[in-house]
PDB file of all heavy atoms in Angstrom:
ATOM      1  N   GLU A  38     -21.363  23.020 -26.514  1.00 48.00           N
ATOM      2  CA  GLU A  38     -21.308  22.630 -27.908  1.00 48.00           C
ATOM      3  C   GLU A  38     -20.238  23.435 -28.629  1.00 48.00           C
ATOM      4  O   GLU A  38     -20.025  24.606 -28.342  1.00 48.00           O
ATOM      5  CB  GLU A  38     -22.665  22.844 -28.580  1.00 48.00           C
ATOM      6  CG  GLU A  38     -23.787  22.041 -27.902  1.00 48.00           C
ATOM      7  CD  GLU A  38     -25.136  22.280 -28.520  1.00 48.00           C
ATOM      8  OE1 GLU A  38     -25.195  23.003 -29.530  1.00 48.00           O
ATOM      9  OE2 GLU A  38     -26.124  21.745 -28.006  1.00 48.00           O
ATOM     10  N   THR A  39     -19.562  22.772 -29.566  1.00 45.00           N
ATOM     11  CA  THR A  39     -18.564  23.454 -30.364  1.00 45.00           C
ATOM     12  C   THR A  39     -18.759  23.093 -31.826  1.00 45.00           C
ATOM     13  O   THR A  39     -19.364  22.078 -32.163  1.00 45.00           O
ATOM     14  CB  THR A  39     -17.134  23.048 -29.949  1.00 45.00           C
ATOM     15  OG1 THR A  39     -16.968  21.646 -30.210  1.00 45.00           O
ATOM     16  CG2 THR A  39     -16.895  23.303 -28.481  1.00 45.00           C
ATOM     17  N   LYS A  40     -18.254  23.936 -32.671  1.00 48.00           N
ATOM     18  CA  LYS A  40     -18.223  23.719 -34.111  1.00 48.00           C
ATOM     19  C   LYS A  40     -19.582  23.835 -34.783  1.00 48.00           C
ATOM     20  O   LYS A  40     -19.679  23.723 -35.987  1.00 48.00           O
ATOM     21  CB  LYS A  40     -17.624  22.337 -34.451  1.00 48.00           C
ATOM     22  CG  LYS A  40     -16.218  22.148 -33.931  1.00 48.00           C
ATOM     23  CD  LYS A  40     -15.247  23.044 -34.633  1.00 48.00           C
ATOM     24  CE  LYS A  40     -13.822  22.767 -34.197  1.00 48.00           C
ATOM     25  NZ  LYS A  40     -12.880  23.662 -34.818  1.00 48.00           N
ATOM     26  N   ALA A  41     -20.657  23.985 -34.024  1.00 39.00           N
ATOM     27  CA  ALA A  41     -21.974  24.151 -34.624  1.00 39.00           C
ATOM     28  C   ALA A  41     -22.905  24.692 -33.569  1.00 39.00           C
ATOM     29  O   ALA A  41     -22.628  24.635 -32.393  1.00 39.00           O
ATOM     30  CB  ALA A  41     -22.481  22.818 -35.163  1.00 39.00           C
ATOM     31  N   SER A  42     -24.039  25.202 -33.987  1.00 35.00           N
ATOM     32  CA  SER A  42     -24.937  25.852 -33.040  1.00 35.00           C
ATOM     33  C   SER A  42     -26.079  24.956 -32.592  1.00 35.00           C
ATOM     34  O   SER A  42     -26.798  25.279 -31.679  1.00 35.00           O
ATOM     35  CB  SER A  42     -25.526  27.121 -33.667  1.00 35.00           C
ATOM     36  OG  SER A  42     -26.233  26.802 -34.849  1.00 35.00           O
ATOM     37  N   THR A  43     -26.288  23.809 -33.233  1.00 40.00           N
ATOM     38  CA  THR A  43     -27.336  22.891 -32.827  1.00 40.00           C
ATOM     39  C   THR A  43     -26.785  21.484 -32.822  1.00 40.00           C
ATOM     40  O   THR A  43     -25.670  21.233 -33.256  1.00 40.00           O
ATOM     41  CB  THR A  43     -28.531  22.947 -33.803  1.00 40.00           C
ATOM     42  OG1 THR A  43     -28.155  22.286 -35.020  1.00 40.00           O
ATOM     43  CG2 THR A  43     -28.929  24.369 -34.116  1.00 40.00           C
ATOM     44  N   THR A  44     -27.590  20.542 -32.318  1.00 44.00           N
ATOM     45  CA  THR A  44     -27.136  19.151 -32.300  1.00 44.00           C
ATOM     46  C   THR A  44     -27.478  18.414 -33.587  1.00 44.00           C
ATOM     47  O   THR A  44     -27.279  17.220 -33.682  1.00 44.00           O
ATOM     48  CB  THR A  44     -27.760  18.407 -31.108  1.00 44.00           C
ATOM     49  OG1 THR A  44     -29.176  18.495 -31.207  1.00 44.00           O
ATOM     50  CG2 THR A  44     -27.301  18.988 -29.803  1.00 44.00           C
ATOM     51  N   ASP A  45     -28.000  19.099 -34.569  1.00 46.00           N
ATOM     52  CA  ASP A  45     -28.348  18.466 -35.842  1.00 46.00           C
ATOM     53  C   ASP A  45     -27.179  18.633 -36.805  1.00 46.00           C
ATOM     54  O   ASP A  45     -27.119  19.569 -37.582  1.00 46.00           O
ATOM     55  CB  ASP A  45     -29.622  19.096 -36.402  1.00 46.00           C
ATOM     56  CG  ASP A  45     -30.166  18.307 -37.584  1.00 46.00           C
ATOM     57  OD1 ASP A  45     -29.653  17.205 -37.821  1.00 46.00           O
ATOM     58  OD2 ASP A  45     -31.093  18.804 -38.242  1.00 46.00           O
ATOM     59  N   ALA A  46     -26.232  17.692 -36.732  1.00 46.00           N
ATOM     60  CA  ALA A  46     -25.012  17.813 -37.523  1.00 46.00           C
ATOM     61  C   ALA A  46     -25.279  17.501 -38.993  1.00 46.00           C
ATOM     62  O   ALA A  46     -26.219  16.781 -39.317  1.00 46.00           O
ATOM     63  CB  ALA A  46     -23.951  16.851 -36.987  1.00 46.00           C
ATOM     64  N   PRO A  47     -24.455  18.041 -39.886  1.00 47.00           N
ATOM     65  CA  PRO A  47     -24.620  17.709 -41.299  1.00 47.00           C
ATOM     66  C   PRO A  47     -24.365  16.233 -41.542  1.00 47.00           C
ATOM     67  O   PRO A  47     -23.687  15.573 -40.771  1.00 47.00           O
ATOM     68  CB  PRO A  47     -23.558  18.585 -41.985  1.00 47.00           C
ATOM     69  CG  PRO A  47     -22.569  18.893 -40.922  1.00 47.00           C
ATOM     70  CD  PRO A  47     -23.348  18.967 -39.652  1.00 47.00           C
ATOM     71  N   SER A  48     -24.894  15.709 -42.626  1.00 56.00           N
ATOM     72  CA  SER A  48     -24.823  14.278 -42.876  1.00 56.00           C
ATOM     73  C   SER A  48     -23.391  13.786 -43.025  1.00 56.00           C
ATOM     74  O   SER A  48     -23.114  12.616 -42.797  1.00 56.00           O
ATOM     75  CB  SER A  48     -25.632  13.919 -44.128  1.00 56.00           C
ATOM     76  OG  SER A  48     -25.127  14.614 -45.255  1.00 56.00           O
ATOM     77  N   ASP A  49     -22.481  14.648 -43.451  1.00 75.00           N
ATOM     78  CA  ASP A  49     -21.096  14.225 -43.598  1.00 75.00           C
ATOM     79  C   ASP A  49     -20.238  14.663 -42.416  1.00 75.00           C
ATOM     80  O   ASP A  49     -19.020  14.628 -42.478  1.00 75.00           O
ATOM     81  CB  ASP A  49     -20.501  14.778 -44.898  1.00 75.00           C
ATOM     82  CG  ASP A  49     -20.559  16.299 -44.977  1.00 75.00           C
ATOM     83  OD1 ASP A  49     -21.258  16.906 -44.131  1.00 75.00           O
ATOM     84  OD2 ASP A  49     -19.911  16.866 -45.861  1.00 75.00           O
ATOM     85  N   GLY A  50     -20.859  15.054 -41.313  1.00 94.00           N
ATOM     86  CA  GLY A  50     -20.137  15.475 -40.122  1.00 94.00           C
ATOM     87  C   GLY A  50     -20.323  14.492 -38.991  1.00 94.00           C
ATOM     88  O   GLY A  50     -20.762  13.354 -39.183  1.00 94.00           O
ATOM     89  N   LEU A  51     -19.984  14.948 -37.790  1.00 97.00           N
ATOM     90  CA  LEU A  51     -20.048  14.074 -36.622  1.00 97.00           C
ATOM     91  C   LEU A  51     -20.391  14.891 -35.388  1.00 97.00           C
ATOM     92  O   LEU A  51     -19.788  15.939 -35.135  1.00 97.00           O
ATOM     93  CB  LEU A  51     -18.689  13.377 -36.411  1.00 97.00           C
ATOM     94  CG  LEU A  51     -18.566  12.489 -35.173  1.00 97.00           C
ATOM     95  CD1 LEU A  51     -19.515  11.290 -35.261  1.00 97.00           C
ATOM     96  CD2 LEU A  51     -17.123  12.007 -35.009  1.00 97.00           C
ATOM     97  N   THR A  52     -21.362  14.401 -34.617  1.00 98.00           N
ATOM     98  CA  THR A  52     -21.660  14.955 -33.309  1.00 98.00           C
ATOM     99  C   THR A  52     -21.248  13.932 -32.259  1.00 98.00           C
ATOM    100  O   THR A  52     -21.601  12.757 -32.357  1.00 98.00           O
ATOM    101  CB  THR A  52     -23.157  15.283 -33.162  1.00 98.00           C
ATOM    102  OG1 THR A  52     -23.493  16.323 -34.076  1.00 98.00           O
ATOM    103  CG2 THR A  52     -23.474  15.753 -31.744  1.00 98.00           C
ATOM    104  N   ILE A  53     -20.498  14.389 -31.268  1.00 98.00           N
ATOM    105  CA  ILE A  53     -19.980  13.525 -30.216  1.00 98.00           C
ATOM    106  C   ILE A  53     -20.616  13.925 -28.896  1.00 98.00           C
ATOM    107  O   ILE A  53     -20.556  15.092 -28.502  1.00 98.00           O
ATOM    108  CB  ILE A  53     -18.439  13.659 -30.106  1.00 98.00           C
ATOM    109  CG1 ILE A  53     -17.764  13.276 -31.429  1.00 98.00           C
ATOM    110  CG2 ILE A  53     -17.907  12.807 -28.950  1.00 98.00           C
ATOM    111  CD1 ILE A  53     -16.290  13.641 -31.493  1.00 98.00           C
ATOM    112  N   TYR A  54     -21.224  12.961 -28.209  1.00 98.00           N
ATOM    113  CA  TYR A  54     -21.691  13.171 -26.839  1.00 98.00           C
ATOM    114  C   TYR A  54     -20.597  12.637 -25.907  1.00 98.00           C
ATOM    115  O   TYR A  54     -20.212  11.466 -26.019  1.00 98.00           O
ATOM    116  CB  TYR A  54     -22.994  12.420 -26.583  1.00 98.00           C
ATOM    117  CG  TYR A  54     -24.204  12.967 -27.297  1.00 98.00           C
ATOM    118  CD1 TYR A  54     -25.383  12.222 -27.361  1.00 98.00           C
ATOM    119  CD2 TYR A  54     -24.193  14.219 -27.912  1.00 98.00           C
ATOM    120  CE1 TYR A  54     -26.511  12.705 -28.007  1.00 98.00           C
ATOM    121  CE2 TYR A  54     -25.313  14.716 -28.562  1.00 98.00           C
ATOM    122  CZ  TYR A  54     -26.465  13.954 -28.610  1.00 98.00           C
ATOM    123  OH  TYR A  54     -27.579  14.443 -29.261  1.00 98.00           O
ATOM    124  N   THR A  55     -20.116  13.492 -25.024  1.00 95.00           N
ATOM    125  CA  THR A  55     -18.968  13.093 -24.218  1.00 95.00           C
ATOM    126  C   THR A  55     -19.049  13.616 -22.796  1.00 95.00           C
ATOM    127  O   THR A  55     -19.641  14.666 -22.539  1.00 95.00           O
ATOM    128  CB  THR A  55     -17.653  13.565 -24.877  1.00 95.00           C
ATOM    129  OG1 THR A  55     -16.540  13.173 -24.054  1.00 95.00           O
ATOM    130  CG2 THR A  55     -17.631  15.075 -25.062  1.00 95.00           C
ATOM    131  N   GLY A  56     -18.452  12.862 -21.899  1.00 87.00           N
ATOM    132  CA  GLY A  56     -18.332  13.282 -20.509  1.00 87.00           C
ATOM    133  C   GLY A  56     -16.940  13.747 -20.167  1.00 87.00           C
ATOM    134  O   GLY A  56     -16.607  13.930 -18.995  1.00 87.00           O
ATOM    135  N   ARG A  57     -16.101  13.941 -21.162  1.00 86.00           N
ATOM    136  CA  ARG A  57     -14.721  14.330 -20.926  1.00 86.00           C
ATOM    137  C   ARG A  57     -14.581  15.839 -20.766  1.00 86.00           C
ATOM    138  O   ARG A  57     -15.442  16.618 -21.177  1.00 86.00           O
ATOM    139  CB  ARG A  57     -13.824  13.855 -22.079  1.00 86.00           C
ATOM    140  CG  ARG A  57     -13.756  12.342 -22.206  1.00 86.00           C
ATOM    141  CD  ARG A  57     -13.187  11.699 -20.960  1.00 86.00           C
ATOM    142  NE  ARG A  57     -13.223  10.249 -21.040  1.00 86.00           N
ATOM    143  CZ  ARG A  57     -12.310   9.503 -21.666  1.00 86.00           C
ATOM    144  NH1 ARG A  57     -11.311  10.082 -22.286  1.00 86.00           N
ATOM    145  NH2 ARG A  57     -12.421   8.194 -21.670  1.00 86.00           N
ATOM    146  N   ASP A  58     -13.460  16.244 -20.195  1.00 80.00           N
ATOM    147  CA  ASP A  58     -13.172  17.666 -19.996  1.00 80.00           C
ATOM    148  C   ASP A  58     -13.099  18.382 -21.343  1.00 80.00           C
ATOM    149  O   ASP A  58     -12.593  17.850 -22.327  1.00 80.00           O
ATOM    150  CB  ASP A  58     -11.850  17.803 -19.250  1.00 80.00           C
ATOM    151  CG  ASP A  58     -11.455  19.243 -19.051  1.00 80.00           C
ATOM    152  OD1 ASP A  58     -11.915  19.848 -18.075  1.00 80.00           O
ATOM    153  OD2 ASP A  58     -10.687  19.768 -19.890  1.00 80.00           O
ATOM    154  N   LYS A  59     -13.605  19.603 -21.363  1.00 86.00           N
ATOM    155  CA  LYS A  59     -13.697  20.341 -22.620  1.00 86.00           C
ATOM    156  C   LYS A  59     -12.335  20.608 -23.257  1.00 86.00           C
ATOM    157  O   LYS A  59     -12.213  20.648 -24.487  1.00 86.00           O
ATOM    158  CB  LYS A  59     -14.439  21.655 -22.406  1.00 86.00           C
ATOM    159  CG  LYS A  59     -13.809  22.625 -21.442  1.00 86.00           C
ATOM    160  CD  LYS A  59     -14.678  23.866 -21.250  1.00 86.00           C
ATOM    161  CE  LYS A  59     -14.078  24.823 -20.238  1.00 86.00           C
ATOM    162  NZ  LYS A  59     -12.775  25.363 -20.668  1.00 86.00           N
ATOM    163  N   ASP A  60     -11.292  20.782 -22.444  1.00 87.00           N
ATOM    164  CA  ASP A  60      -9.969  21.049 -23.004  1.00 87.00           C
ATOM    165  C   ASP A  60      -9.415  19.819 -23.709  1.00 87.00           C
ATOM    166  O   ASP A  60      -8.847  19.910 -24.801  1.00 87.00           O
ATOM    167  CB  ASP A  60      -9.007  21.507 -21.912  1.00 87.00           C
ATOM    168  CG  ASP A  60      -9.391  22.849 -21.321  1.00 87.00           C
ATOM    169  OD1 ASP A  60     -10.038  23.641 -22.030  1.00 87.00           O
ATOM    170  OD2 ASP A  60      -9.053  23.103 -20.153  1.00 87.00           O
TER     171      ASP A  60
END
Side-chain angles (χ1 to χ4, degrees):
E38 301 178 5
T39 63
K40 301 292 185 183
S42 59
T43 74
T44 57
D45 190 10
S48 59
D49 58 348
L51 176 65
T52 295
I53 300 169
Y54 290 167
T55 179
R57 296 299 175 82
D58 178 85
K59 61 183 178 63
D60 294 333

